[in-house]
Amino acid sequence: MQKLIICLSLCLIGSIYSGSSQNVYLLYDNAVPQAEYAAEMLKKALVEQEYSVLEERTGYDYLISIGVNAVNLGSEAYAIIPEGKIITIYGGDNRGMIYGSLSVAESLRNGTSLQNIEKSSESPHNALRAIKHNTPWYTYRPSSALDLHYETVRDVKYWEAFLDMMAENRFNSLSLWNLHPFVFMIKSKNFPEASPFSDEEMEEWKHLHREIFRMADERAIDTYIIPFNIFVSPEFSEAHNVAQENVYPNYYIPGDTSEIVKRYTRESITQMFQEYPTLTGLGLTLGEGMAEMTPQQREDWIYETYIEGMRQVGRDLKLVHRIPFSSTSESLGKTSVELEQLTRNAIEREASLDFIQEPIWADLKYNWSHAHSTPELVKVHGGEMFDTFYNPLPEGYKVTYTARNEDFFALRWGVPDFIREHIALNSQSYIGGYFIGSETYIPAKDYFTAIDAPVDWDYAFERQWLFYKLWGRLLYNPKTPDKIFQAEFNERYGSRGDNLLEVYSLASATQLRLASLYDSRWDFTLYGEGFMALIGDDTQYISVDQLINHPTLDPDYVSVSEYVERRASGGSFEENEITPPVLIDMLEEDTQKALSLVEDINTEDNASLMYEVADIKTWSYLGLHLAEKLKGAVALQTYRIKGGDENKQNAVDHLEKALDHWDKVIEITRPIYKDMPLTHYNGSSHDRNEDNLFHWALIRPEVAQDIEITKDATVDESK
């Protein structure tokens, strides 16, 4: 009898903790869209946990009060205050109110009952936490890898899901990038000939953009339109016989500064903001479409068109001033102190205007186009970053970094401590935050998944949920503990998800190490998950010779050629230097541990988990491939300098093992990944390349060529 009573008691407790039979009333101002959204997200979590959400404020077991308390909380901060049956969620503003509600919803999903909700609070570390999202129409680079997303990105349901993800992960800004966005958003009052669309087609485009901005505003997400310069529509160009090169898909072309182009641009900006009252801001790009103009001419053109167009809108707007990289009259140039000072002067001038909200975001690319490398800032687009933008400390603007990802799209990635270190190194008072996103990839259509089985994603960004969750949550609060991210694995996969965060940290660090070892610059110069780089004019697998001779990005890394030469001359290495043997040990230790941790996970009945584990294994074998390749490269370079048949044979042996690891990658990925269009296959050309399918299996002959290179090697008699 006693056992029966205990059993019934436990069952009752379990029922209460799961929310079954408990009634909850949500108190909020339903006239405020952001409060309505916060309550809806919380209601969804409550219902999933079997709580009953009441329509009337009577008979509740719990009342959750959702509101704003700007007196005690700062912007975007929130506090959760449980007091018996009353749980209060305060935000310092509407955005903080949403974050507090999402925090309670997250606790519920992770198994915490309302009875056990704890008092907590958070406030933002970075003011700007933005997504960079290109559109597939008039996108920056012509490629089927980009325009295949056309229908998906025109679907409002896609944007609803994407914006939900952003809010959940504390991203507060969405930036949409397009060569010439205005023609898709408005029909110019004074230049209707610029539009390629009928009235009916134009209304469809307007509906799409109105919904994007409405849903973003509902989620307290700022929105920015970021065009490139100087571009017009082909219809405008043809009608007026101007800007004939300044149309999609061109980009490195001279600037057309004719007055009619200026007027069209200026009026388009004004009309765009007037027709979309919840659109928050604009971005300036001073480079593409502006060849043969000096840096000062570019700034002047921007001021006469973009800034003047913003002034005429009639409301305050936010501004992103992307810091230009060309100190010459070429589209592609290099950085200089003089350019930085000129740009700072322009930004400070803009910040003094009463219709531009402070701070202006002065944006730079972190380590050019490959932020997922070393967390150290080595360079920006064009080369070295000098101290002009923060010495003396700025007023009216904050420096932000674009953390581009042109290196992995198919494989899932997640190394939380890398992001924490990234943020820690860039938390000076003049730093405002980050843009996260790609130029060569749009995270919309899933063109990767090959198997026909139920999976828990509809869109590509949902496959990369960990990537977005890590960046967003850690930009908001770098102290967010790993248990928050690990809990998401357990919610998705139960106990089989145990340790998956640790395993991703171990396995996908392969990307960071390759990108730190192999220096890269603009978009196509590295594709990490494919071990490919721009070599000459073409994107190719990184051969053993390229690995030997190519410089490193991270100054602490030592290239193969430098290592072999210094060792041969009797030189020594500093403790902080990451030599090839040190890197080999790091790769082998982490990837072998990752493989051992996932070895016994049964994925037969869960295709989503199968993909997670498969990606971990793929990163691990790519890491082992790199380790063996480095061993082979060191032996090969040693042979070329010192001779010795044993060195040559060692090189062959290691490169054969490297090929074996590559074959494991193929074995894992061939059944589950389609051949994937890859923008990088454009190479150094500005034209699209239709022969652009990537799969690890397709480049195996290039990988195997390393062995032949080694067998044909000879001793360099000049050494």
Side-chain angles (χ1 to χ4, degrees):
M1 184 66 179
Q2 186 177 9
K3 289 183 180 180
L4 178 60
I5 293 172
I6 293 172
C7 181
L8 289 171
S9 299
L10 289 173
C11 289
L12 179 61
I13 292 169
S15 175
I16 292 172
Y17 282 6
S18 71
S20 178
S21 77
Q22 290 194 302
N23 298 321
V24 182
Y25 182 78
L26 301 179
L27 176 62
Y28 62 97
D29 186 349
N30 60 11
V32 177
Q34 295 77 24
E36 184 81 27
Y37 179 77
E40 186 61 31
M41 293 297 101
L42 188 49
K43 178 180 178 180
K44 182 179 177 181
L46 287 164
V47 171
E48 287 174 355
Q49 300 305 311
E50 300 182 3
Y51 288 91
S52 297
V53 180
L54 302 174
E55 296 295 327
E56 302 293 334
R57 198 191 309 179
T58 57
Y60 64 78
D61 296 298
Y62 289 95
L63 183 147
I64 302 179
S65 171
I66 305 170
V68 171
N69 184 346
V71 175
N72 297 320
L73 294 170
S75 175
E76 300 188 79
Y78 71 84
I80 300 167
I81 308 168
E83 296 173 316
K85 291 185 176 183
I86 310 296
I87 299 173
T88 300
I89 301 172
Y90 279 139
D93 52 17
N94 286 339
R95 187 174 286 157
M97 175 179 62
I98 289 174
Y99 294 164
S101 300
L102 289 171
S103 178
V104 173
E106 180 178 67
S107 295
L108 290 168
R109 289 196 304 270
N110 290 339
T112 302
S113 66
L114 288 179
Q115 177 182 339
N116 292 320
I117 292 292
E118 296 181 353
K119 184 176 182 179
S120 62
S121 62
E122 279 189 293
S123 57
H125 179 82
N126 288 101
L128 180 75
R129 306 177 302 280
I131 292 287
K132 168 182 165 40
H133 193 302
N134 286 24
T135 67
W137 42 88
Y138 282 16
T139 194
Y140 180 56
R141 297 194 183 275
S143 173
S144 63
L146 301 174
D147 58 32
L148 63 82
H149 299 279
Y150 188 89
E151 293 301 328
T152 306
V153 178
R154 288 197 65 179
D155 187 344
V156 171
K157 290 182 179 179
Y158 165 76
W159 287 107
E160 182 179 20
F162 194 85
L163 289 163
D164 279 344
M165 177 277 293
M166 288 184 62
E168 179 181 327
N169 293 326
R170 317 298 194 259
F171 287 105
N172 64 7
S173 299
L174 170 67
S175 59
L176 299 176
W177 301 59
N178 180 293
L179 279 187
H180 182 63
F182 313 116
V183 74
F184 298 95
M185 300 178 68
I186 61 168
K187 181 164 283 190
S188 173
K189 296 174 183 176
N190 290 321
F191 298 98
E193 67 276 9
S195 177
F197 304 117
S198 67
D199 289 346
E200 183 179 2
E201 290 170 331
M202 192 70 244
E203 184 52 38
E204 291 177 358
W205 283 109
K206 287 185 177 182
H207 173 73
L208 171 67
H209 286 96
R210 282 195 297 263
E211 284 299 289
I212 293 172
F213 302 142
R214 180 192 65 79
M215 290 188 295
D217 181 65
E218 183 181 58
R219 291 155 178 77
I221 293 172
D222 289 342
T223 45
Y224 295 86
I225 295 295
I226 303 189
F228 295 82
N229 293 290
I230 301 168
F231 295 97
V232 298
S233 69
E235 291 76 12
F236 181 90
S237 174
E238 184 176 349
H240 300 284
N241 196 30
V242 294
Q244 293 179 343
E245 292 183 89
N246 302 70
V247 296
Y248 175 83
N250 303 322
Y251 40 97
Y252 290 148
I253 35 88
D256 187 313
T257 59
S258 57
E259 287 302 320
I260 196 167
V261 171
K262 287 182 180 178
R263 180 181 176 183
Y264 167 66
T265 303
R266 183 169 55 245
E267 291 184 2
S268 293
I269 290 163
T270 301
Q271 186 177 337
M272 175 185 69
F273 279 109
Q274 289 175 341
E275 289 196 21
Y276 298 96
T278 56
L279 174 59
T280 311
L282 190 68
L284 311 178
T285 303
L286 295 89
E288 285 78 9
M290 289 183 137
E292 301 178 6
M293 299 172 69
T294 67
Q296 186 62 60
Q297 287 173 328
R298 291 171 180 158
E299 292 287 0
D300 292 343
W301 191 90
I302 285 288
Y303 199 85
E304 292 175 31
T305 55
Y306 280 65
I307 302 302
E308 177 59 19
M310 294 173 72
R311 185 188 69 79
Q312 294 184 24
V313 172
R315 62 183 170 93
D316 292 353
L317 299 168
K318 296 186 178 183
L319 182 64
V320 178
H321 191 124
R322 300 184 70 211
I323 293 172
F325 51 82
S326 179
S327 59
T328 69
S329 59
E330 299 294 323
S331 284
L332 289 174
K334 59 181 181 179
T335 59
S336 71
V337 173
E338 293 75 19
L339 176 64
E340 287 192 354
Q341 188 59 60
L342 184 154
T343 304
R344 177 167 182 160
N345 293 341
I347 296 172
E348 289 175 337
R349 179 189 184 189
E350 293 157 0
S352 70
L353 301 172
D354 60 6
F355 57 90
I356 293 180
Q357 297 180 35
E358 293 185 9
I360 292 173
W361 308 120
D363 191 60
L364 294 143
K365 295 181 190 174
Y366 203 92
N367 286 340
W368 213 315
S369 295
H370 304 275
H372 296 83
S373 51
T374 170
E376 297 277 353
L377 178 62
V378 178
K379 57 186 173 183
V380 294
H381 194 146
E384 181 181 359
M385 179 181 175
F386 305 96
D387 68 352
T388 314
F389 292 108
Y390 54 85
N391 185 19
L393 291 175
E395 295 182 8
Y397 72 88
K398 294 279 189 180
V399 172
T400 63
Y401 291 117
T402 293
R404 289 267 293 272
N405 170 31
E406 315 304 335
D407 297 287
F408 51 90
F409 312 132
L411 300 180
R412 294 156 178 81
W413 179 93
V415 186
D417 282 344
F418 164 77
I419 298 175
R420 290 190 183 98
E421 187 175 359
H422 218 289
I423 295 168
L425 292 171
N426 298 286
S427 291
Q428 300 87 347
S429 63
Y430 57 84
I431 297 296
Y434 285 69
F435 288 85
I436 308 297
S438 305
E439 199 79 80
T440 58
Y441 169 65
I442 296 173
K445 181 180 175 64
D446 173 14
Y447 57 99
F448 308 101
T449 304
I451 67 167
D452 184 17
V455 292
D456 60 8
W457 63 84
D458 295 312
Y459 304 112
F461 75 87
E462 293 170 323
R463 300 173 65 259
Q464 292 280 5
W465 66 267
L466 181 61
F467 173 87
Y468 291 104
K469 186 171 288 289
L470 289 175
W471 269 113
R473 295 294 293 273
L474 291 172
L475 284 172
Y476 182 76
N477 180 4
K479 295 181 180 179
T480 301
D482 280 353
K483 68 179 182 180
I484 294 293
F485 308 117
Q486 177 56 48
E488 181 71 23
F489 281 108
N490 291 120
E491 184 193 343
R492 290 167 179 259
Y493 310 120
S495 61
R496 288 185 288 179
D498 290 350
N499 301 319
L500 283 187
L501 179 66
E502 177 189 0
V503 178
Y504 266 111
S505 299
L506 295 167
S508 62
T510 295
Q511 157 63 34
L512 308 176
R513 287 157 180 168
L514 174 64
S516 298
L517 174 68
Y518 194 92
D519 189 22
S520 55
R521 298 171 291 119
W522 54 281
D523 310 356
F524 299 167
T525 53
L526 186 66
Y527 173 52
E529 69 184 357
F531 270 65
M532 300 171 74
L534 186 70
I535 300 170
D537 291 329
D538 300 317
T539 299
Q540 305 172 26
Y541 170 77
I542 299 169
S543 71
V544 66
D545 281 339
Q546 284 291 322
L547 192 67
I548 289 170
N549 297 308
H550 199 77
T552 66
L553 172 65
D554 189 326
D556 288 342
Y557 275 60
V558 178
S559 71
V560 171
S561 59
E562 181 184 352
Y563 171 74
V564 172
E565 289 172 14
R566 204 191 307 179
R567 192 177 64 168
S569 63
S572 60
F573 299 93
E574 300 295 329
E575 186 176 347
N576 66 301
E577 288 187 296
I578 300 175
T579 62
V582 171
L583 180 54
I584 289 164
D585 287 344
M586 293 163 61
L587 287 163
E588 290 184 334
E589 180 179 353
D590 287 354
T591 57
Q592 287 170 354
K593 183 177 180 181
L595 288 171
S596 68
L597 287 172
V598 299
E599 183 179 6
D600 295 327
I601 296 178
N602 182 355
T603 66
E604 288 183 4
D605 62 343
N606 190 319
S608 301
L609 178 59
M610 180 275 292
Y611 269 99
E612 299 267 18
V613 172
D615 284 3
I616 289 165
K617 290 180 178 179
T618 301
W619 277 124
S620 297
Y621 282 110
L622 287 172
L624 292 173
H625 170 78
L626 178 56
E628 289 295 339
K629 189 180 180 78
L630 282 166
K631 293 176 187 177
V634 169
L636 174 58
Q637 187 66 2
T638 302
Y639 168 74
R640 285 172 170 161
I641 290 176
K642 298 176 65 176
D645 290 342
E646 70 282 1
N647 289 322
K648 187 173 187 177
Q649 187 57 50
N650 281 340
V652 170
D653 292 344
H654 287 303
L655 292 171
E656 285 177 342
K657 290 179 182 177
L659 181 59
D660 289 341
H661 291 311
W662 194 267
D663 284 337
K664 286 293 294 184
V665 169
I666 295 171
E667 178 185 328
I668 296 165
T669 60
R670 182 76 277 183
I672 64 174
Y673 279 106
K674 297 177 181 178
D675 293 350
M676 301 164 275
L678 182 65
T679 314
H680 296 63
Y681 273 128
N682 285 11
S684 62
S685 172
H686 296 171
D687 300 323
R688 65 188 290 142
N689 177 10
E690 299 299 342
D691 183 18
N692 67 351
L693 292 180
F694 168 79
H695 192 285
W696 295 270
L698 298 179
I699 62 171
R700 186 187 188 280
E702 295 179 57
V703 182
Q705 187 61 30
D706 277 351
I707 299 168
E708 300 308 313
I709 290 171
T710 305
K711 289 179 178 178
D712 293 340
T714 58
V715 178
D716 185 350
E717 300 295 344
S718 66
K719 295 293 185 180

